[in-house]
């Protein structure tokens, strides 16, 4: 493919350098994007911090470029912002040096190779290195489109005296972001200066040639319109990438596949799948309320407890013995699951989630209704989409009696059936978007043409 592509384009080859973030929810879509673009004839380099490296054996066609990051232990950072800043500062010179080498080597070769940088929105150094070297850059977002205008507006809200937000404003809709409320805003839980610093850190400080979103036009028409009104460069909405370019496992943790055999033995749509993603941590009290809610619900469940995600415990030592007995026979607890396979399994009737964007997309694409327990960042916006706009989710109040009730609403009651119906409609729309002439398919074609025009 690569030779044909070069022949068609006057002998020019393209090397796309994808600058990936070491977060699970960011790495996966980046590798999927690379897989798609490689299938279209582009050479792919994945530049990534040394911390949480992707498994290169699963992607034999890519070149991997580990960037020394000096992050010996992420635990040494007191805030996520500090971690992100260190990653950006430490990786930047190494990326720059590598690109300079590529550019110099090309000068000596007769064969031309155009280099384009596609960088994760958190890896802002990718954009600044590209700018310094005169290379085009594209920003890849693995969160919803809604997240972008929602964090960009925060400095403005601060100037207007609307941030930090106080009651009763919290419950109101932000006029510029309808249907999102003040309480759904990113970083709302942080001290004000930390929130402003976080926004400043991730607002693009360079002018990218284009933006990519792992989203679908029909899911987020207003957010995409808002972005298109603000930026005069192409905006590509090419999701859901896990359906467009499925890859071998991209998990940093080992997937426990025994849960699929367990699911095979369960009744259709009877199981509640519970997973709170790759980052969220919680107190023992919250984890225990979840456990009691599951135990009392009388529904089968598959619960992912990521090691270390309950503060102060290695794994599930926080569970009182009586509770373990209560849950026996009806539930399975694992450390990490093959989530996409779980959500596509016929036995799964609901997904209790932190509403990270990947989990949200993976669930709505399988028509699985969600119980929403957002922890922060973009997750509050995703929960609002699920419960208020797409009507495929219910927000959870963290108290065991409430939890039991919500589990029944989703798995047993008519409400759950209605959400599944909505899920089927959304699934149909996803299929349309991916088929010939559909919005994501067209956007992918436009993206390839755009890169070739750079
Ligand atoms: C982070 C942020 O929390 C999220 O808000 C943002 O949108 C992306 O980055 P994360 O916590 O990793 O996300 O959640 P999510 O985006 O849902 O991604 C988690 C990924 O891990 C999903 O692709 C999911 O399939 C996978 N996963 C999760 C597993 O494969 N197995 C599991 O047991 C749990």
């Amino acid at each position: 493919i690569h030779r044909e592509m070069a022949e068609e384009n006057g002998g020019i080859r393209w090397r796309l350098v994808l600058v990936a973030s070491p977060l699970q929810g960011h790495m996966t879509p980046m590798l999927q994007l690379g897989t798609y673009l490689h299938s279209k004839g582009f050479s792919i380099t994945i530049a990534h911090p040394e911390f949480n490296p992707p498994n290169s054996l699963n992607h034999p066609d890519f070149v991997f470029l580990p960037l020394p990051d000096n992050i010996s232990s992420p635990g040494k950072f007191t805030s996520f912002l500090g971690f992100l800043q260190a990653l950006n500062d430490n990786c930047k010179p190494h990326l720059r040096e590598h690109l300079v080498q590529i550019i110099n080597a090309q000068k000596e070769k007769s064969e031309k190779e155009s280099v384009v940088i596609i960088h994760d929105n958190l890896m802002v150094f990718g954009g600044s290195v590209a700018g310094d070297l005169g290379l085009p850059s594209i920003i890849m977002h693995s969160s919803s489109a809604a997240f972008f205008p929602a964090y960009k507006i925060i400095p403005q809200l601060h100037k207007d005296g609307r941030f930090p937000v106080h009651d009763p404003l919290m419950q109101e809709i932000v006029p510029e972001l309808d249907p999102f409320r003040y309480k759904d805003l990113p970083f709302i839980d942080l001290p004000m200066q930390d929130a402003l610093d976080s926004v400043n850190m991730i607002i693009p400080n360079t002018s990218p040639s284009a933006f990519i979103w792992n989203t679908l036009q029909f899911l987020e028409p207003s957010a995409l319109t808002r972005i298109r009104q603000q930026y005069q460069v192409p905006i590509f909405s090419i999701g859901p990438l896990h359906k467009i370019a499925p890859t071998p496992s991209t998990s940093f943790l080992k997937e426990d596949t025994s849960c699929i055999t367990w699911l095979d033995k369960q009744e259709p749509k009877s199981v509640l799948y519970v997973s709170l993603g790759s980052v969220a941590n919680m107190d023992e009290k919250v984890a225990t309320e979840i456990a009691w809610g599951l135990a009392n619900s009388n529904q089968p469940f598959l619960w992912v407890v990521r090691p270390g995600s309950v503060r102060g415990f290695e794994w599930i030592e926080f569970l009182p013995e009586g509770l373990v007995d209560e849950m026996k026979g009806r539930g399975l607890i694992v450390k990490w699951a093959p989530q996409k396979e779980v959500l596509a399994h016929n036995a799964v009737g609901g997904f209790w989630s932190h509403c990270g964007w990947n989990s949200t997309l993976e669930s709505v694409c399988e028509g699985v209704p969600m119980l929403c327990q957002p922890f922060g960042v973009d997750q509050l916006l995703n929960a609002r989409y699920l419960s208020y706009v797409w009507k495929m989710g219910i927000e959870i109040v963290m108290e065991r009696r409430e939890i039991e009730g919500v589990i029944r609403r989703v798995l047993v009651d008519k409400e759950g059936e209605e959400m599944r119906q909505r899920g089927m409609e959304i699934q149909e729309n996803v299929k349309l978007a991916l088929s010939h002439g559909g919005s994501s398919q067209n956007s992918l074609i436009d993206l390839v043409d755009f890169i070739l025009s750079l």
Side-chain angles (χ1 to χ4, degrees):
I1 307 177
H2 296 246
R3 197 176 316 113
E4 271 168 32
M5 188 186 205
E7 275 162 16
E8 276 171 25
N9 293 287
I12 304 177
R13 287 163 185 259
W14 271 264
R15 171 150 306 274
L16 307 183
V17 179
L18 274 50
V19 185
S21 143
L23 301 175
Q24 183 70 72
H26 288 238
M27 181 61 80
T28 301
M30 193 58 114
L31 292 169
Q32 290 160 345
L33 176 66
T35 302
Y36 174 78
L37 291 170
H38 184 266
S39 77
K40 295 294 152 196
F42 296 104
S43 300
I44 304 293
T45 295
I46 305 284
H48 61 89
E50 280 177 339
F51 173 68
N52 272 354
N55 183 352
S56 57
L57 298 177
N58 282 340
H59 309 274
D61 296 325
F62 297 173
V63 174
F64 284 86
L65 174 67
L67 303 169
D69 52 30
N70 209 16
I71 309 275
S72 47
S73 114
K76 74 182 176 192
F77 296 96
T78 49
S79 70
F80 180 68
L81 188 62
F83 170 68
L84 204 55
Q85 189 69 56
L87 272 182
N88 273 278
D89 292 347
N90 299 342
C91 291
K92 185 175 175 177
H94 300 286
L95 179 69
R96 193 191 154 90
E97 194 184 299
H98 180 79
L99 292 174
V100 167
Q101 274 172 17
I102 295 189
I103 294 166
N104 288 343
Q106 277 190 27
K107 286 187 189 140
E108 290 155 22
K109 283 197 213 154
S110 53
E111 201 171 67
K112 280 188 241 147
E113 196 176 51
S114 283
V115 178
V116 176
I117 308 293
I118 301 181
H119 71 92
D120 183 281
N121 71 312
L122 300 182
M123 302 287 95
V124 283
F125 70 93
S128 50
V129 170
D132 292 349
L133 300 177
L135 299 172
S137 67
I138 299 175
I139 304 185
M140 158 71 175
H141 291 258
S142 40
S143 309
S144 65
F147 181 45
F148 189 58
Y151 73 71
K152 265 192 71 207
I153 202 173
I154 288 176
Q156 183 60 45
L157 295 179
H158 178 57
K159 267 193 213 139
D160 299 349
R162 289 186 282 160
F163 193 93
V165 187
H166 300 290
D167 278 329
L169 202 57
M170 275 287 186
Q171 303 297 333
E172 285 181 26
I173 287 176
V174 183
E176 298 90 335
L177 301 174
D178 195 1
F180 298 105
R181 299 157 300 185
Y182 285 91
K183 65 186 265 201
D184 303 321
L185 283 172
F187 312 120
I188 191 89
D189 51 336
L190 295 184
M192 188 190 70
Q193 197 52 49
D194 289 2
L196 291 173
D197 290 347
S198 301
V199 174
N200 281 332
M201 167 88 215
I202 54 176
I203 277 188
N205 52 12
T206 47
S207 321
S209 305
F211 291 94
I212 297 174
W213 261 277
N214 182 22
T215 190
L216 292 105
Q217 176 66 34
F218 85 90
L219 282 180
E220 303 199 78
S222 350
L224 286 163
T225 302
R226 264 179 211 126
I227 297 167
R228 291 195 169 106
Q229 281 164 353
Q230 286 182 23
Y231 285 88
Q232 301 317 313
V233 296
I235 308 291
F236 301 103
S237 59
I238 59 163
L241 278 164
H242 70 284
K243 292 285 183 197
I244 285 155
T247 57
S249 169
T250 52
S251 285
F252 296 134
L253 298 175
K254 190 172 168 344
E255 293 173 357
D256 184 340
T257 49
S258 68
C259 58
I260 302 295
T261 325
W262 181 83
L263 284 174
D264 289 342
K265 296 186 198 125
Q266 309 302 320
E267 297 292 318
K269 309 281 174 245
S270 66
V271 176
L272 180 67
Y273 171 57
V274 188
S275 168
L276 303 173
S278 69
V279 184
N281 290 321
M282 67 199 113
D283 293 337
E284 179 186 357
K285 189 172 176 304
V286 174
T288 310
E289 286 306 292
I290 295 179
W292 275 115
L294 290 174
N296 295 343
S297 75
N298 277 325
Q299 291 293 318
F301 62 87
L302 168 61
W303 184 12
V304 177
V305 182
R306 208 181 68 248
S309 61
V310 181
R311 282 188 275 273
F313 296 88
E314 275 185 29
W315 192 37
I316 50 174
E317 306 78 14
F318 64 90
L319 287 175
E321 236 167 66
L323 185 52
V324 175
D325 291 341
E326 198 77 35
M327 299 200 308
K328 256 193 201 133
R330 206 160 33 78
L332 183 65
I333 303 181
V334 297
K335 293 181 174 165
W336 193 253
Q339 180 164 303
K340 288 184 267 295
E341 224 182 308
V342 167
L343 288 169
H345 198 289
N346 188 36
V348 173
F351 178 16
W352 176 342
S353 168
H354 69 312
C355 304
W357 186 241
N358 294 282
S359 295
T360 302
L361 276 185
E362 288 159 12
S363 200
V364 297
C365 286
E366 300 304 334
V368 178
M370 290 172 78
L371 288 77
C372 307
Q373 186 193 350
F375 282 71
V377 209
D378 58 330
Q379 298 156 16
L380 300 145
L381 302 162
N382 303 340
R384 175 74 168 163
Y385 265 148
L386 282 158
S387 60
Y388 182 80
V389 184
W390 308 331
K391 307 209 182 315
M392 266 197 73
I394 301 180
E395 290 199 41
I396 283 189
V397 177
M398 281 311 295
E399 196 277 316
R400 64 185 80 165
R401 299 259 162 253
E402 294 268 352
I403 293 171
E404 278 174 59
V406 173
I407 294 178
R408 269 197 298 279
R409 278 166 71 190
V410 173
L411 286 174
V412 184
D413 294 354
K414 191 158 174 283
E415 202 177 346
E417 204 36 61
E418 285 164 6
M419 285 196 276
R420 258 181 287 281
Q421 195 58 42
R422 277 289 297 140
M424 274 155 67
E425 289 162 26
I426 291 184
Q427 269 183 308
E428 277 314 303
N429 284 329
V430 172
K431 273 190 206 138
L432 281 178
L434 294 181
S435 58
H436 182 73
S439 64
S440 291
Q441 199 51 249
N442 282 347
S443 204
L444 284 162
I445 294 169
D446 291 347
L447 171 64
V448 169
D449 287 345
F450 177 74
I451 297 173
L452 293 175
S453 75
L454 288 170

